[in-house]
Amino acid sequence: MGGEGGLEVVVDRRAGDVKGWRTSKSVGNFENDEEELQLEDALFGRLKRVAPKREDELRVSKLQRSKEDGGGSRAAWVDEDDLVGSVSLVNVSRLRKLRKRAGESSVSRSEYEKRLRDQFRVTYAGMGSWAREASATATKTLDVSEAEGESAIQSLLRIANPHPTNSKVLTSGTIDIVRRPDANGAQLSKAVVQSVNYHPAGELLLTGGFDKRVRQFRVTGPQNVMVHTVFLPNFPVYHAEYILGGDQILASSRRPFLYQIDVASESCSKMTTLSGGTQRSFESFTASPTGKTLAFAVDNGGILVAAAYSKQEIAFLKMRSPCISVAFTETDDHHLVSYGVDGLVCLWDLRTKKCFRKFSDEGCVRGKVVSSRGKFLACGSDSGIVNIYDLDELAGGLSKPIKTVGNLTTSIHSMTFNHDAELFAFSSFASKNSVRILHTKSMTVFANWPRPKPVLSRISCMDFSPSSSHLTLGTDKGRALHFRLGAYAG
């Protein structure tokens, strides 16, 4: 500062603190710092600011306090009433599994909570591992991707892909497929398995059959564990499927009602809202790709479309011939395909509730089942012939199949595409070993499967896992045959 009697700030540049003030006239006149400090003390006293702690020091301080507190988080509030009284283990049937000794009828509330937690850990151990693995490896994957020149956005898109791409190049001719322990080996069905279906997360598989039971298995390794089973009295299961993103299971039979099973709570309820007293059977149905819309092939050529949440009718469509099978196209929930016993194929727009395209399946004597995925539509008939159509060509007015598959000579019973429509599996229940897998890029059947021995039983149903790494086949012997596909990661 200018002037003989001005003041000047004394700053410690290393710590960023103001040490004091001094007159500009005194600058350079003090021979040592002691005289300067004495003057500052006389004028201002011993006032100094404390330098703020750095972020790393704050983190160390928090860590020390956490260790002193025991290293764990404590509950902010505890309701003492939750610990008073007891819970009966015999009044509700689903709580009887919590009993640890014969004759035990009740436990304290705290013990009840502990047993519920233990039961949950045992039942759902391993579920959700994909999320934990993704969280643990995401940072490492991003670092490796940056080192290899991959952008962060590309890496994130690759991590978020719910269906892994092929780990090997899938070519025609032969397929890498290996038999694994039966998916339902923990508890085989006592009758034919009519339905198998994978949970969208891929770790659970359900089976349903004529023994009136719907079972869930965790198929994550060589030891497949049964998670839950539900007995449905007087209800031989014809079809069962996960809906609403895997939150519920819907089971059907030749009955004017359905059963709904909640996956989380394992509760089961009877659904009669769809029948209205007019439909005799709901045995044939399918869920849309999102699981939010249901379509049933009902009496007299009717197709009943319902909302999966409310189980209420939203549309009723009508064919000229009895409808034998229905399937949603993969694009959205608005387009439906129906297949009649006389081979008539109808494509419906559910927004307008009208048929925008119809044609007769080429060479069909009696239709059996229809399936669709991607750009493909497959129609299987009673003669063993499977016609595969291109949906784009059908929309353009053409009705000629792009491939006619004649590898089976008995009535087609079950068909399904894998997640990317690169594989197409189809089977016949009329004879043993009657199952094939088609490579859709070359439109040829793999020649090395199934093998002549051991002979597979009669195949009643089938399903690919969400990543196509596994294929499960239901049989007339009550078994769910399990196969690993080496071309797909999973």
Side-chain angles (χ1 to χ4, degrees):
M1 295 175 63
E4 199 174 281
L7 294 176
E8 189 172 34
V9 181
V10 180
V11 181
D12 185 346
R13 297 183 180 277
R14 290 175 298 175
D17 297 339
V18 178
K19 296 182 63 177
W21 302 84
R22 63 186 178 187
T23 60
S24 58
K25 183 178 180 179
S26 65
V27 176
N29 293 335
F30 292 101
E31 295 180 357
N32 53 55
D33 292 338
E34 184 64 27
E35 297 178 13
E36 186 176 348
L37 293 175
Q38 291 177 359
L39 178 59
E40 291 176 3
D41 293 341
L43 291 174
F44 306 105
R46 298 180 180 275
L47 298 176
K48 284 190 177 182
R49 293 185 301 162
V50 179
K53 290 185 178 181
R54 297 178 307 208
E55 293 184 3
D56 55 349
E57 295 175 341
L58 292 174
R59 286 195 295 269
V60 172
S61 177
K62 291 180 180 179
L63 179 60
Q64 291 174 347
R65 289 197 300 270
S66 176
K67 290 181 178 178
E68 292 174 359
D69 293 339
S73 59
R74 292 174 295 181
W77 175 73
V78 177
D79 190 349
E80 297 179 355
D81 292 338
D82 290 343
L83 306 178
V84 178
S86 61
V87 178
S88 173
L89 300 182
V90 295
N91 291 340
V92 182
S93 59
R94 68 172 179 268
L95 297 183
R96 294 172 186 170
K97 68 180 74 173
L98 299 179
R99 293 180 296 180
K100 292 186 177 181
R101 62 180 183 273
E104 188 176 28
S105 60
S106 63
V107 294
S108 64
R109 289 185 179 274
S110 58
E111 177 65 18
Y112 172 67
E113 179 181 352
K114 179 180 180 297
R115 294 190 186 185
L116 281 179
R117 293 182 184 277
D118 293 341
Q119 177 71 16
F120 180 84
R121 281 192 291 268
V122 171
T123 302
Y124 296 102
M127 288 188 63
S129 59
W130 60 270
R132 293 190 295 271
E133 293 170 0
S135 176
T137 59
T139 303
K140 179 179 178 180
T141 306
L142 286 173
D143 293 340
V144 173
S145 300
E146 290 177 0
E148 295 176 352
E150 184 181 12
S151 69
I153 294 179
Q154 291 173 332
S155 181
L156 287 173
L157 290 174
R158 178 164 52 83
I159 294 172
N161 182 15
H163 302 307
T165 56
N166 293 14
S167 57
K168 299 179 183 178
V169 177
L170 187 62
T171 58
S172 60
T174 60
I175 185 172
D176 180 8
I177 184 169
V178 179
R179 177 81 175 267
R180 291 294 179 87
D182 291 351
N184 65 342
Q187 188 178 99
L188 300 180
S189 176
K190 298 179 181 179
V192 57
V193 177
Q194 283 290 103
S195 187
V196 292
N197 185 234
Y198 276 93
H199 191 278
E203 293 183 349
L204 285 179
L205 173 79
L206 71 81
T207 65
F210 286 167
D211 63 349
K212 307 171 188 176
R213 285 172 172 82
V214 174
R215 300 176 177 88
Q216 292 186 83
F217 299 89
R218 190 172 68 249
V219 286
T220 56
Q223 298 297 328
N224 300 320
V225 181
M226 189 180 74
V227 175
H228 183 234
T229 180
V230 176
F231 174 72
L232 306 176
N234 193 28
F235 197 85
V237 178
Y238 275 74
H239 186 65
E241 193 170 337
Y242 286 104
I243 62 173
L244 297 175
D247 292 340
Q248 294 180 3
I249 297 172
L250 194 66
S252 68
S253 182
R254 287 185 178 175
R255 302 287 187 271
F257 55 88
L258 302 157
Y259 273 103
Q260 171 186 293
I261 303 170
D262 187 270
V263 174
S265 66
E266 300 179 354
S267 60
C268 180
S269 57
K270 186 176 179 180
M271 307 297 299
T272 59
T273 56
L274 283 176
S275 64
T278 59
Q279 305 301 332
R280 295 177 297 175
S281 172
F282 290 103
E283 63 182 276
S284 178
F285 79 92
T286 188
S288 65
T290 64
K292 297 179 180 180
T293 308
L294 307 172
F296 299 84
V298 294
D299 301 333
N300 303 319
I303 304 161
L304 193 153
V305 183
Y309 280 107
S310 62
K311 309 300 186 297
Q312 297 291 332
E313 178 182 328
I314 57 178
F316 190 86
L317 314 174
K318 183 77 172 177
M319 296 181 65
R320 73 184 184 195
S321 59
C323 181
I324 194 70
S325 181
V326 289
F328 283 90
T329 62
E330 192 190 17
T331 53
D332 49 40
D333 290 5
H334 304 309
H335 295 92
L336 183 72
V337 181
S338 62
Y339 192 38
V341 293
D342 60 352
L344 178 66
V345 181
C346 294
L347 279 64
W348 304 86
D349 188 333
L350 298 183
R351 292 167 295 188
T352 61
K353 302 179 183 179
K354 293 183 179 180
C355 175
F356 65 90
R357 181 80 170 89
K358 65 173 64 175
F359 65 95
S360 293
D361 183 24
E362 186 176 278
C364 175
V365 178
R366 180 179 176 84
K368 296 296 291 184
V369 63
V370 67
S371 181
S372 178
R373 180 63 64 94
K375 68 173 185 178
F376 299 114
L377 171 66
C379 300
S381 65
D382 193 53
S383 62
I385 297 296
V386 177
N387 287 325
I388 300 178
Y389 298 87
D390 189 317
L391 286 173
D392 295 334
E393 292 184 0
L394 292 176
L398 299 177
S399 57
K400 186 77 175 177
I402 58 176
K403 177 66 177 180
T404 297
V405 185
N407 295 78
L408 300 182
T409 57
T410 52
S411 175
I412 301 298
H413 186 80
S414 180
M415 304 188 307
T416 186
F417 288 92
N418 74 325
H419 79 274
D420 59 3
E422 197 171 7
L423 297 177
F424 171 66
F426 57 104
S427 68
S428 173
F429 190 72
S431 58
K432 296 180 179 180
N433 234 33
S434 293
V435 57
R436 300 291 186 271
I437 300 179
L438 178 82
H439 182 239
T440 57
K441 288 186 177 179
S442 62
M443 288 296 171
T444 57
V445 171
F446 293 106
N448 65 321
W449 191 84
R451 296 178 176 86
K453 292 183 179 181
V455 177
L456 303 180
S457 302
R458 290 179 171 85
I459 307 302
S460 54
C461 54
M462 59 180 63
D463 192 28
F464 286 99
S465 66
S467 64
S468 301
S469 59
H470 293 84
L471 171 66
T472 300
L473 310 175
T475 70
D476 62 332
K477 302 297 183 181
R479 303 173 67 181
L481 308 181
H482 197 51
F483 296 88
R484 174 73 170 92
L485 301 179
Y488 291 88

